[in-house]
Amino acid sequence: MNFKQILQQLDVLAVCKRYGLSLWQCPQFLFLVMGVVIIATALITYALGTRYIADPVTVLLIVFALTIILFILTFSITRSLEGLAEANRLKSEFISIVSHQLRSPLSNLKWALELLMSGRFGKIEGKQAEYMKILKDNTGRMGELVSDLLMVSRIEQGRLPLHKTEFSLIELAQETIAEFKPIASASNVKIELDVLKDLLPKVFGDSSQLKLVIENFIDNAVRYTKDKGIVKVKIEQRNKKLYLSVKDEGVGIPKEDQKHIFQKFFRSSNVLKYQTRGSGLGLYIAKSVVERSKGKIGFKSEENKGSTFWFTIPIK
Amino acid sequence: MPKKILFVEDESALQKTFGDVLGQEGYKVVSALDGEMGLKMAKTEKPDLILLDLILPKMHGFEVLKELKEDETTKDIPIIVLTNLESMGDVEKALELGATTYLVKASYTLEEVVTKIKKALGE
């Protein structure tokens, strides 16, 4: 936190307004009042102590009254913090309910379109087929977005437990790469798997959630490679962990955006220029999965040169 | 005689889509729009397979599943759960109660669901 940010935090009225809280429900304001009361208490106690030293009962009563005020203030602060936590919980719950509600119409749409496009009820051709495809692609996009939102709300509510098993990271990577082959070759991108040693130990974690992480890395690498390029997936052992990295020759991440890259809904400025797709949730989900699996996640990136995203995962 | 499939689902759009596809595949589809109706029709219609949603009006899919598996006359009918609930807890509960397969709507194409239905019917 730099000096400017500290100053901004000190502007209590602005902070409370931004949270949309009234002053007596705003922790920042209450802390400020408490500070003032504590200082006043110290000064008054001193003044009383020196002047009314012969009448300890009065001193006691006044100090007692001040302590009660402090107690009430502390209680209000606790309540206001509870209010904030509750608001956060409600937000996650809201996302969860809305996403679930969106899923039913999306499934109806998806399957109805699939049925139309399957040609079971007459062949769809030419322009009609083109527009059907647009409908289908965008329904798919919406579906992915809703899935990501649900995942985030589950993470935030602590309702995404890991089902840990022992599994081969190499096999998981091979499986994921195979799924991406058609999309990659359609955009002239080659995906290579580089495993230094064939005999790597198995890792311990939730394979279906870690698959999401690998998918996210490869998806980003392919998506942000302009024209043609190579995406290199590397797996190696580092101490008691396996290390997996995905390196691309894509657009890279501008320096000023790098510190926000794992934040929820963050999308890099240059990515917005090239592509509008993406929710800004993938890397946030990836970080949560890796960290809960007792691994680490990180990246190196240079604008216009490419990025390397990596994670580690413990060996059993 | 065509095989009979009971589809317990409150979304009429899905009733239509599956009715059309499964009809074309040569099945006879009967629909129930809520849990109670599903349970009743499972007993009167004697279907060869039941496609069951979980979030249903009047009676939750889990209850329907439980009662069907406890009833001598219906306990052998294969049941495919077709829902958008996807937590591991729900999957485990459904399989424990005796569901043959658990399919999350968002993750399957229509053709894949049809394939699963054929498999559950032993075709």
Short mmCIF file of all heavy atoms in Angstrom, two decimals, chain A residues 274-310:
data_model
loop_
_atom_site.label_atom_id
_atom_site.label_comp_id
_atom_site.label_asym_id
_atom_site.label_seq_id
_atom_site.Cartn_x
_atom_site.Cartn_y
_atom_site.Cartn_z
N TYR A 274 -7.84 -7.56 -28.92
CA TYR A 274 -7.80 -8.64 -29.91
C TYR A 274 -9.05 -9.50 -29.92
O TYR A 274 -9.52 -9.94 -30.94
CB TYR A 274 -6.60 -9.56 -29.64
CG TYR A 274 -5.29 -8.86 -29.71
CD1 TYR A 274 -4.45 -8.81 -28.61
CD2 TYR A 274 -4.88 -8.22 -30.89
CE1 TYR A 274 -3.25 -8.16 -28.66
CE2 TYR A 274 -3.68 -7.56 -30.94
CZ TYR A 274 -2.86 -7.53 -29.83
OH TYR A 274 -1.66 -6.89 -29.88
N GLN A 275 -9.57 -9.74 -28.73
CA GLN A 275 -10.64 -10.73 -28.60
C GLN A 275 -11.62 -10.22 -27.57
O GLN A 275 -11.22 -9.69 -26.56
CB GLN A 275 -10.05 -12.03 -28.02
CG GLN A 275 -9.25 -12.84 -28.98
CD GLN A 275 -10.06 -14.02 -29.47
OE1 GLN A 275 -11.23 -14.14 -29.12
NE2 GLN A 275 -9.47 -14.85 -30.27
N THR A 276 -12.87 -10.43 -27.80
CA THR A 276 -13.81 -9.98 -26.77
C THR A 276 -14.31 -11.13 -25.91
O THR A 276 -14.95 -10.92 -24.91
CB THR A 276 -15.01 -9.25 -27.39
OG1 THR A 276 -15.48 -10.04 -28.46
CG2 THR A 276 -14.62 -7.88 -27.87
N ARG A 277 -14.01 -12.34 -26.34
CA ARG A 277 -14.50 -13.49 -25.56
C ARG A 277 -13.76 -13.65 -24.25
O ARG A 277 -12.65 -13.22 -24.09
CB ARG A 277 -14.31 -14.77 -26.36
CG ARG A 277 -15.52 -15.13 -27.16
CD ARG A 277 -15.35 -16.50 -27.74
NE ARG A 277 -15.65 -17.52 -26.75
CZ ARG A 277 -15.93 -18.76 -27.09
NH1 ARG A 277 -15.93 -19.12 -28.32
NH2 ARG A 277 -16.21 -19.64 -26.15
N GLY A 278 -14.39 -14.33 -23.31
CA GLY A 278 -13.74 -14.61 -22.04
C GLY A 278 -14.42 -13.86 -20.93
O GLY A 278 -14.95 -12.77 -21.12
N SER A 279 -14.43 -14.47 -19.76
CA SER A 279 -15.18 -13.89 -18.65
C SER A 279 -14.27 -13.23 -17.62
O SER A 279 -14.73 -12.49 -16.77
CB SER A 279 -15.98 -15.00 -17.96
OG SER A 279 -15.10 -16.00 -17.49
N GLY A 280 -12.97 -13.51 -17.70
CA GLY A 280 -12.07 -13.00 -16.67
C GLY A 280 -12.19 -13.81 -15.39
O GLY A 280 -11.83 -13.33 -14.32
N LEU A 281 -12.70 -15.02 -15.49
CA LEU A 281 -12.86 -15.84 -14.30
C LEU A 281 -11.92 -17.05 -14.28
O LEU A 281 -11.63 -17.60 -13.22
CB LEU A 281 -14.31 -16.34 -14.19
CG LEU A 281 -15.35 -15.24 -13.95
CD1 LEU A 281 -16.75 -15.81 -14.07
CD2 LEU A 281 -15.15 -14.62 -12.58
N GLY A 282 -11.44 -17.44 -15.45
CA GLY A 282 -10.64 -18.67 -15.56
C GLY A 282 -9.44 -18.72 -14.65
O GLY A 282 -9.25 -19.69 -13.91
N LEU A 283 -8.62 -17.67 -14.66
CA LEU A 283 -7.40 -17.70 -13.85
C LEU A 283 -7.71 -17.55 -12.36
O LEU A 283 -6.99 -18.07 -11.52
CB LEU A 283 -6.43 -16.59 -14.30
CG LEU A 283 -5.70 -16.89 -15.62
CD1 LEU A 283 -4.93 -15.67 -16.10
CD2 LEU A 283 -4.75 -18.07 -15.46
N TYR A 284 -8.80 -16.85 -12.05
CA TYR A 284 -9.23 -16.74 -10.64
C TYR A 284 -9.59 -18.14 -10.11
O TYR A 284 -9.15 -18.54 -9.02
CB TYR A 284 -10.42 -15.80 -10.55
CG TYR A 284 -11.08 -15.76 -9.19
CD1 TYR A 284 -10.55 -14.98 -8.17
CD2 TYR A 284 -12.22 -16.52 -8.93
CE1 TYR A 284 -11.15 -14.95 -6.92
CE2 TYR A 284 -12.82 -16.48 -7.69
CZ TYR A 284 -12.29 -15.70 -6.69
OH TYR A 284 -12.88 -15.68 -5.46
N ILE A 285 -10.33 -18.89 -10.94
CA ILE A 285 -10.70 -20.26 -10.55
C ILE A 285 -9.44 -21.12 -10.45
O ILE A 285 -9.25 -21.86 -9.49
CB ILE A 285 -11.70 -20.86 -11.58
CG1 ILE A 285 -13.01 -20.07 -11.54
CG2 ILE A 285 -11.95 -22.33 -11.31
CD1 ILE A 285 -13.98 -20.41 -12.66
N ALA A 286 -8.54 -20.98 -11.45
CA ALA A 286 -7.31 -21.77 -11.47
C ALA A 286 -6.51 -21.55 -10.19
O ALA A 286 -6.04 -22.50 -9.55
CB ALA A 286 -6.47 -21.40 -12.69
N LYS A 287 -6.37 -20.30 -9.79
CA LYS A 287 -5.59 -19.97 -8.60
C LYS A 287 -6.20 -20.63 -7.36
O LYS A 287 -5.49 -21.22 -6.55
CB LYS A 287 -5.53 -18.45 -8.41
CG LYS A 287 -4.61 -18.00 -7.31
CD LYS A 287 -4.36 -16.51 -7.41
CE LYS A 287 -3.24 -16.07 -6.50
NZ LYS A 287 -3.67 -15.69 -5.18
N SER A 288 -7.51 -20.54 -7.26
CA SER A 288 -8.16 -21.13 -6.10
C SER A 288 -7.96 -22.65 -6.06
O SER A 288 -7.66 -23.21 -5.01
CB SER A 288 -9.65 -20.78 -6.14
OG SER A 288 -10.39 -21.73 -5.44
N VAL A 289 -8.09 -23.30 -7.21
CA VAL A 289 -7.93 -24.76 -7.26
C VAL A 289 -6.50 -25.15 -6.87
O VAL A 289 -6.29 -26.02 -6.02
CB VAL A 289 -8.26 -25.31 -8.68
CG1 VAL A 289 -7.88 -26.77 -8.79
CG2 VAL A 289 -9.74 -25.12 -8.99
N VAL A 290 -5.51 -24.48 -7.48
CA VAL A 290 -4.11 -24.85 -7.22
C VAL A 290 -3.75 -24.60 -5.76
O VAL A 290 -3.14 -25.44 -5.10
CB VAL A 290 -3.16 -24.07 -8.16
CG1 VAL A 290 -1.72 -24.26 -7.74
CG2 VAL A 290 -3.35 -24.51 -9.60
N GLU A 291 -4.15 -23.47 -5.23
CA GLU A 291 -3.77 -23.15 -3.85
C GLU A 291 -4.44 -24.08 -2.85
O GLU A 291 -3.84 -24.46 -1.86
CB GLU A 291 -4.06 -21.68 -3.55
CG GLU A 291 -3.04 -20.81 -4.25
CD GLU A 291 -3.24 -19.32 -4.03
OE1 GLU A 291 -4.30 -18.94 -3.50
OE2 GLU A 291 -2.32 -18.56 -4.42
N ARG A 292 -5.69 -24.44 -3.12
CA ARG A 292 -6.34 -25.39 -2.21
C ARG A 292 -5.72 -26.78 -2.33
O ARG A 292 -5.82 -27.59 -1.43
CB ARG A 292 -7.85 -25.43 -2.46
CG ARG A 292 -8.55 -24.22 -1.82
CD ARG A 292 -10.03 -24.26 -2.01
NE ARG A 292 -10.37 -24.27 -3.41
CZ ARG A 292 -11.15 -25.18 -3.98
NH1 ARG A 292 -11.68 -26.13 -3.26
NH2 ARG A 292 -11.41 -25.12 -5.26
N SER A 293 -5.08 -27.05 -3.47
CA SER A 293 -4.41 -28.35 -3.65
C SER A 293 -2.99 -28.33 -3.09
O SER A 293 -2.21 -29.23 -3.37
CB SER A 293 -4.36 -28.72 -5.13
OG SER A 293 -5.59 -28.55 -5.75
N LYS A 294 -2.64 -27.29 -2.36
CA LYS A 294 -1.32 -27.12 -1.74
C LYS A 294 -0.22 -26.97 -2.79
O LYS A 294 0.91 -27.40 -2.60
CB LYS A 294 -1.00 -28.29 -0.81
CG LYS A 294 -2.04 -28.50 0.28
CD LYS A 294 -1.41 -28.89 1.58
CE LYS A 294 -2.30 -28.76 2.79
NZ LYS A 294 -3.74 -28.79 2.57
N GLY A 295 -0.55 -26.37 -3.91
CA GLY A 295 0.45 -26.10 -4.93
C GLY A 295 0.64 -24.60 -5.07
O GLY A 295 0.08 -23.81 -4.31
N LYS A 296 1.47 -24.23 -6.04
CA LYS A 296 1.68 -22.81 -6.30
C LYS A 296 1.34 -22.53 -7.75
O LYS A 296 1.40 -23.41 -8.60
CB LYS A 296 3.15 -22.46 -6.04
CG LYS A 296 3.51 -22.40 -4.58
CD LYS A 296 4.68 -21.44 -4.39
CE LYS A 296 4.88 -21.11 -2.93
NZ LYS A 296 5.80 -22.04 -2.28
N ILE A 297 1.02 -21.26 -8.04
CA ILE A 297 0.67 -20.89 -9.41
C ILE A 297 1.37 -19.57 -9.74
O ILE A 297 1.57 -18.75 -8.84
CB ILE A 297 -0.87 -20.77 -9.56
CG1 ILE A 297 -1.28 -20.58 -11.02
CG2 ILE A 297 -1.43 -19.63 -8.72
CD1 ILE A 297 -2.78 -20.77 -11.26
N GLY A 298 1.78 -19.39 -10.98
CA GLY A 298 2.42 -18.13 -11.34
C GLY A 298 2.59 -18.01 -12.84
O GLY A 298 2.14 -18.88 -13.60
N PHE A 299 3.22 -16.92 -13.26
CA PHE A 299 3.42 -16.73 -14.70
C PHE A 299 4.54 -15.74 -14.95
O PHE A 299 4.97 -15.01 -14.06
CB PHE A 299 2.13 -16.21 -15.35
CG PHE A 299 1.80 -14.79 -14.96
CD1 PHE A 299 2.11 -13.72 -15.80
CD2 PHE A 299 1.22 -14.51 -13.73
CE1 PHE A 299 1.84 -12.43 -15.44
CE2 PHE A 299 0.95 -13.21 -13.36
CZ PHE A 299 1.25 -12.16 -14.21
N LYS A 300 5.01 -15.79 -16.20
CA LYS A 300 5.99 -14.83 -16.69
C LYS A 300 5.43 -14.35 -18.01
O LYS A 300 4.93 -15.15 -18.79
CB LYS A 300 7.31 -15.56 -16.95
CG LYS A 300 8.46 -15.06 -16.11
CD LYS A 300 9.78 -15.68 -16.43
CE LYS A 300 9.90 -16.57 -17.63
NZ LYS A 300 10.70 -17.76 -17.42
N SER A 301 5.49 -13.05 -18.26
CA SER A 301 4.92 -12.62 -19.53
C SER A 301 5.55 -11.33 -20.01
O SER A 301 5.96 -10.47 -19.22
CB SER A 301 3.41 -12.41 -19.35
OG SER A 301 2.84 -12.07 -20.58
N GLU A 302 5.65 -11.23 -21.32
CA GLU A 302 6.16 -10.01 -21.91
C GLU A 302 5.24 -9.65 -23.08
O GLU A 302 4.91 -10.52 -23.90
CB GLU A 302 7.58 -10.24 -22.42
CG GLU A 302 8.39 -8.96 -22.47
CD GLU A 302 9.81 -9.26 -22.94
OE1 GLU A 302 10.39 -10.27 -22.51
OE2 GLU A 302 10.31 -8.47 -23.74
N GLU A 303 4.85 -8.39 -23.13
CA GLU A 303 3.90 -8.00 -24.17
C GLU A 303 4.48 -8.23 -25.56
O GLU A 303 5.65 -7.94 -25.81
CB GLU A 303 3.50 -6.53 -24.00
CG GLU A 303 2.22 -6.23 -24.74
CD GLU A 303 1.66 -4.85 -24.44
OE1 GLU A 303 2.30 -4.10 -23.66
OE2 GLU A 303 0.60 -4.52 -25.00
N ASN A 304 3.67 -8.79 -26.44
CA ASN A 304 4.03 -9.11 -27.83
C ASN A 304 5.04 -10.25 -27.98
O ASN A 304 5.43 -10.59 -29.08
CB ASN A 304 4.56 -7.88 -28.57
CG ASN A 304 3.50 -6.80 -28.64
OD1 ASN A 304 2.33 -7.08 -28.83
ND2 ASN A 304 3.91 -5.56 -28.43
N LYS A 305 5.50 -10.83 -26.85
CA LYS A 305 6.44 -11.96 -26.97
C LYS A 305 5.77 -13.26 -26.56
O LYS A 305 6.05 -14.32 -27.10
CB LYS A 305 7.66 -11.71 -26.06
CG LYS A 305 8.57 -10.57 -26.53
CD LYS A 305 9.91 -11.12 -26.99
CE LYS A 305 10.78 -10.06 -27.63
NZ LYS A 305 11.49 -9.25 -26.64
N GLY A 306 4.93 -13.19 -25.54
CA GLY A 306 4.26 -14.41 -25.08
C GLY A 306 4.24 -14.54 -23.57
O GLY A 306 4.81 -13.73 -22.85
N SER A 307 3.55 -15.58 -23.12
CA SER A 307 3.41 -15.81 -21.68
C SER A 307 3.71 -17.26 -21.35
O SER A 307 3.55 -18.15 -22.19
CB SER A 307 1.98 -15.54 -21.21
OG SER A 307 1.53 -14.29 -21.68
N THR A 308 4.17 -17.49 -20.12
CA THR A 308 4.30 -18.85 -19.60
C THR A 308 3.54 -18.91 -18.29
O THR A 308 3.86 -18.18 -17.35
CB THR A 308 5.77 -19.21 -19.34
OG1 THR A 308 6.50 -18.98 -20.53
CG2 THR A 308 5.90 -20.66 -18.92
N PHE A 309 2.51 -19.72 -18.24
CA PHE A 309 1.79 -19.93 -16.98
C PHE A 309 2.18 -21.29 -16.41
O PHE A 309 2.34 -22.25 -17.16
CB PHE A 309 0.27 -19.88 -17.22
CG PHE A 309 -0.24 -18.47 -17.24
CD1 PHE A 309 -0.22 -17.73 -18.41
CD2 PHE A 309 -0.73 -17.89 -16.08
CE1 PHE A 309 -0.68 -16.42 -18.42
CE2 PHE A 309 -1.19 -16.59 -16.09
CZ PHE A 309 -1.15 -15.84 -17.27
N TRP A 310 2.38 -21.34 -15.10
CA TRP A 310 2.79 -22.62 -14.49
C TRP A 310 2.07 -22.86 -13.17
O TRP A 310 1.56 -21.93 -12.55
CB TRP A 310 4.31 -22.64 -14.25
CG TRP A 310 4.80 -21.49 -13.40
CD1 TRP A 310 5.32 -20.30 -13.85
CD2 TRP A 310 4.82 -21.42 -11.96
NE1 TRP A 310 5.63 -19.49 -12.78
CE2 TRP A 310 5.35 -20.15 -11.62
CE3 TRP A 310 4.45 -22.29 -10.94
CZ2 TRP A 310 5.51 -19.74 -10.29
CZ3 TRP A 310 4.60 -21.88 -9.60
CH2 TRP A 310 5.14 -20.61 -9.31
#
